[in-house]
Amino acid sequence: MELKDQIRKTTIEVISLLYILLFVYAAISKLLDFENFQVQVGQSPLVSAFASWITWAVPVLELIISLLLSIRKFRIWGLLSAFCLMTIFTVYIFIVLNYSSFVPCSCGGILEKMSWKVHLFFNIIFLLLAAVAIYFHSEVYELKLAINNFKPIKSMLFIFFCSTGLMIFLFLRSENIMHYENPFIRRYAKHPVVFFSQKDLKFNSYYIAGISGGRIYLGNYTSPSHIVSFDEKLNNERIHKIIFNPEKIPFKSIKITVSGRYFYLKDGTIPVIFRGKISDWKINNEFNSMPYFTTAEPMDSTTVVFRSNNGKKLANIIGIYSAVNKGKTVYKDSLLQQQIDGVFDTDGILTYSEMNHKIVYVYYYRNEFIIAGKTGSLVLRGRTIDTTTKAKIKISYLKNDTQRKMSAPPYVVNAKAAVHENLLFIHSKIKGRYENDKLWKQASIIDVYDFSHNAYLLSFPVYNLNDDKMSSFKLTSKYLYAIIGKNLVLYEFKDKLTNEMKSSNPK
């Protein structure tokens, strides 16, 4: 009997020592590289919303448990605490592998080198070791805890289910906070897009005019009548020339948009919009009585949504032009909301979702975007995940307040945007919490929102090429196309993003 007890005592000592080594090493590793640990927890798909206190709580608990395990009088409490914490870690990994939206990086010393499945197996082994030590401890020392005899199996089951319930609660609560009440913590999913190919364009004056019929079309600021197109995988290059000989039209800022079967030649300073078919690249229609505009997007072959300075005190305003209704224009003065001057503070990116028939407007200088129906009726005022609710700009007024200009560099929040089906992709200029400075120097960060649920989904980087950053981008259901310096770059969407796209086309 004494030999049996001695074996049990030795087993308890060995298991306690293993836990002390594991927890002390893991805690010190986290504290020595605390910033990186914060980043990893902040980007976790399960507990992102609670990263501020979890990053401190975990290493502190690991050290406290190690101390309890090293003192024989308190060892049973250390073993029970170790069993509880290891249960939480194990359930965390199980949820990551089976229910998480993506699999993040591991965190903590030697465990960082393990795959998640190996990590799960490792945790289960240690969980069983803790259970064995607790059971042996109760047998050897005949413990009495509280007012009842200590029953190890019931106690461990109680701890296991409570710990599991706590982890599930944290996961569900964190998911809700991250999607709908995001505290400016980005989620960098594992490879939601992957590099596919690139094409050297030789010049940096190209922009993406549009995507139609499985081809991507590029316009050129210095040669507006010349269009270059490629198939969806950047092969089969073609050169197109717009056939047009306007008389005495003082063009200043021509831009080409391709949508469906048509291309549109636009210059809001004239103002004019001409239309032609991409089958022959001949201008055959002019939108008469088009008002001046600063940006415009075709919604169909005869309807255009635009922004102009026709509001009160020359403020920006959204308008909808219909060519079939004798050039009728309807202004929607309630869509853009003034904060400072109504011009600079409401500046932004105007785009249109052909599949959902939605007007999308993203402000440059504040964390807000607008979704409106095709007639201009407001559907949603959404927020991006950063915290800049008011535009940070300084404006000077000249010539008796008849002219205005920026008197200081503006604080840009959202630089570019593109939409496909229900997803809104925004190129953000603001670094969030727990993010790596090095990544921001190397890439442009894209945040993805599901505007059908007004929810933030995830973020991903589009890496620079030769120190050149992304200047424009467009989307299809399978690919992201980006102009980076003199290159057209193709990224392929993986399942995480393609599964989030929900077409709202009427059947």
Side-chain angles (χ1 to χ4, degrees):
M1 191 68 179
E2 290 183 2
L3 179 61
K4 188 176 181 180
D5 284 347
Q6 188 59 45
I7 292 173
R8 289 177 174 177
K9 288 180 181 179
T10 303
T11 302
I12 294 168
E13 294 284 343
V14 171
I15 293 173
S16 297
L17 181 60
L18 287 174
Y19 261 103
I20 291 170
L21 291 173
L22 174 67
F23 281 169
V24 169
Y25 177 77
I28 292 176
S29 297
K30 295 179 179 77
L31 293 173
L32 288 177
D33 195 10
F34 188 73
E35 184 177 352
N36 185 49
F37 178 56
Q38 272 193 322
V39 170
Q40 291 171 333
V41 176
Q43 294 172 10
S44 161
L46 270 66
V47 292
S48 310
F50 310 114
S52 59
W53 61 266
I54 283 179
T55 49
W56 285 106
V58 170
V60 168
L61 284 174
E62 288 173 335
L63 292 174
I64 291 174
I65 293 171
S66 299
L67 181 62
L68 292 174
L69 289 170
S70 64
I71 303 172
R72 183 169 295 177
K73 182 180 178 180
F74 302 112
R75 185 164 292 156
I76 185 60
W77 295 106
L79 289 170
L80 290 170
S81 300
F83 182 84
C84 175
L85 193 59
M86 193 56 69
T87 299
I88 291 173
F89 291 162
T90 304
V91 174
Y92 171 85
I93 296 173
F94 180 80
I95 295 174
V96 164
L97 290 174
N98 293 278
Y99 300 100
S100 169
S101 56
F102 64 94
V103 178
C105 298
S106 301
C107 48
I110 56 172
L111 305 185
E112 196 168 359
K113 307 300 180 182
M114 297 181 183
S115 70
W116 280 93
K117 289 185 178 180
V118 173
H119 199 160
L120 178 63
F121 179 75
F122 178 90
N123 281 15
I124 291 173
I125 294 297
F126 265 80
L127 191 62
L128 293 175
L129 288 175
V132 169
I134 292 168
Y135 184 80
F136 282 179
H137 204 289
S138 66
E139 290 290 310
V140 172
Y141 297 105
E142 297 181 351
L143 289 174
K144 290 186 178 181
L145 298 178
I147 59 174
N148 297 317
N149 289 335
F150 178 60
K151 298 175 181 178
I153 295 178
K154 287 185 178 180
S155 298
M156 286 187 286
L157 285 174
F158 177 77
I159 291 172
F160 179 84
F161 286 115
C162 287
S163 302
T164 301
L166 175 62
M167 191 66 250
I168 292 173
F169 169 77
L170 290 175
F171 166 56
L172 295 176
R173 180 60 183 146
S174 181
E175 284 291 283
N176 186 268
I177 291 173
M178 290 299 295
H179 287 309
Y180 303 105
E181 308 167 32
N182 190 288
F184 204 8
I185 300 175
R186 285 191 172 87
R187 284 186 163 178
Y188 290 98
K190 189 175 182 180
H191 307 309
V193 300
V194 294
F195 176 83
F196 192 91
S197 66
Q198 71 183 69
K199 182 70 67 174
D200 185 357
L201 301 174
K202 308 299 183 185
F203 302 99
N204 62 2
S205 53
Y206 285 99
Y207 62 91
I208 302 176
I211 301 171
S212 178
R215 297 190 67 82
I216 177 168
Y217 295 87
L218 306 182
N220 192 313
Y221 289 113
T222 59
S223 182
S225 63
H226 287 81
I227 306 295
V228 179
S229 73
F230 304 90
D231 66 19
E232 62 178 7
K233 295 185 178 179
L234 304 190
N235 299 314
N236 190 19
E237 179 179 352
R238 297 177 187 171
I239 307 297
H240 314 276
K241 181 174 174 57
I242 296 175
I243 301 172
F244 187 42
N245 187 24
E247 296 181 1
K248 298 180 181 179
I249 298 180
F251 288 117
K252 295 180 181 179
S253 180
I254 295 176
K255 191 169 183 180
I256 307 298
T257 295
V258 175
S259 177
R261 297 181 298 144
Y262 300 97
F263 71 92
Y264 302 81
L265 186 151
K266 305 175 295 184
D267 189 338
T269 63
I270 306 300
V272 292
I273 294 183
F274 296 95
R275 190 193 72 193
K277 292 183 179 180
I278 60 176
S279 57
D280 58 14
W281 296 95
K282 294 180 180 179
I283 295 289
N284 55 29
N285 197 358
E286 178 181 357
F287 290 0
N288 296 311
S289 304
M290 187 75 199
Y292 287 92
F293 59 88
T294 50
T295 181
E297 290 293 325
M299 295 194 288
D300 58 41
S301 60
T302 60
T303 312
V304 175
V305 58
F306 65 93
R307 185 193 68 202
S308 74
N309 298 120
N310 291 335
K312 294 180 180 179
K313 297 183 180 180
L314 301 179
N316 284 327
I317 190 171
I318 299 294
I320 298 173
Y321 168 91
S322 176
V324 296
N325 197 6
K326 297 181 180 180
K328 181 180 179 181
T329 298
V330 176
Y331 289 99
K332 299 294 180 179
D333 56 4
S334 63
L335 286 181
L336 301 183
Q337 294 184 328
Q338 178 176 335
Q339 290 185 335
I340 300 172
D341 70 327
V343 178
F344 292 115
D345 64 335
T346 57
D347 200 3
I349 309 116
L350 175 66
T351 185
Y352 182 72
S353 173
E354 297 178 30
M355 296 185 176
N356 284 30
H357 309 297
K358 294 291 189 296
I359 299 167
V360 180
Y361 192 86
V362 181
Y363 288 107
Y364 281 135
Y365 308 121
R366 58 177 117 157
N367 64 344
E368 187 177 346
F369 60 87
I370 301 166
I371 309 295
K374 192 173 181 179
T375 60
S377 57
L378 179 66
V379 174
L380 168 70
R381 291 192 188 277
R383 292 283 184 186
T384 55
I385 59 174
D386 63 271
T387 56
T388 308
T389 57
K390 186 172 181 179
K392 297 179 181 179
I393 55 176
K394 292 183 179 180
I395 301 166
S396 297
Y397 292 86
L398 309 172
K399 295 184 179 180
N400 298 322
D401 292 344
T402 59
Q403 293 183 11
R404 66 192 95 185
K405 70 174 185 177
M406 292 276 197
S407 57
Y411 185 79
V412 179
V413 176
N414 305 307
K416 304 168 192 69
V419 62
H420 186 76
E421 297 195 13
N422 58 301
L423 299 188
L424 173 59
F425 293 66
I426 297 178
H427 171 205
S428 175
K429 298 286 284 186
I430 309 299
K431 186 164 72 75
R433 298 168 65 189
Y434 317 123
E435 291 188 32
N436 193 315
D437 288 332
K438 186 178 179 180
L439 177 64
W440 278 80
K441 293 177 182 178
Q442 295 176 340
S444 299
I445 304 303
I446 306 292
D447 298 328
V448 186
Y449 301 85
D450 179 353
F451 62 76
S452 65
H453 293 98
N454 194 20
Y456 164 72
L457 296 180
L458 55 87
S459 302
F460 62 87
V462 174
Y463 286 95
N464 305 340
L465 290 176
N466 302 319
D467 295 326
D468 291 317
K469 286 186 171 289
M470 178 181 70
S471 60
S472 65
F473 71 101
K474 290 283 186 182
L475 317 162
T476 69
S477 57
K478 294 172 61 179
Y479 301 111
L480 180 147
Y481 299 90
I483 298 287
I484 306 177
K486 299 177 181 179
N487 295 276
L488 173 61
V489 181
L490 172 61
Y491 284 85
E492 183 179 17
F493 291 133
K494 306 312 288 184
D495 290 344
K496 172 56 188 166
L497 279 174
T498 55
N499 292 340
E500 294 287 353
M501 293 185 184
K502 304 164 191 145
S503 177
S504 297
N505 282 332
K507 295 182 179 178

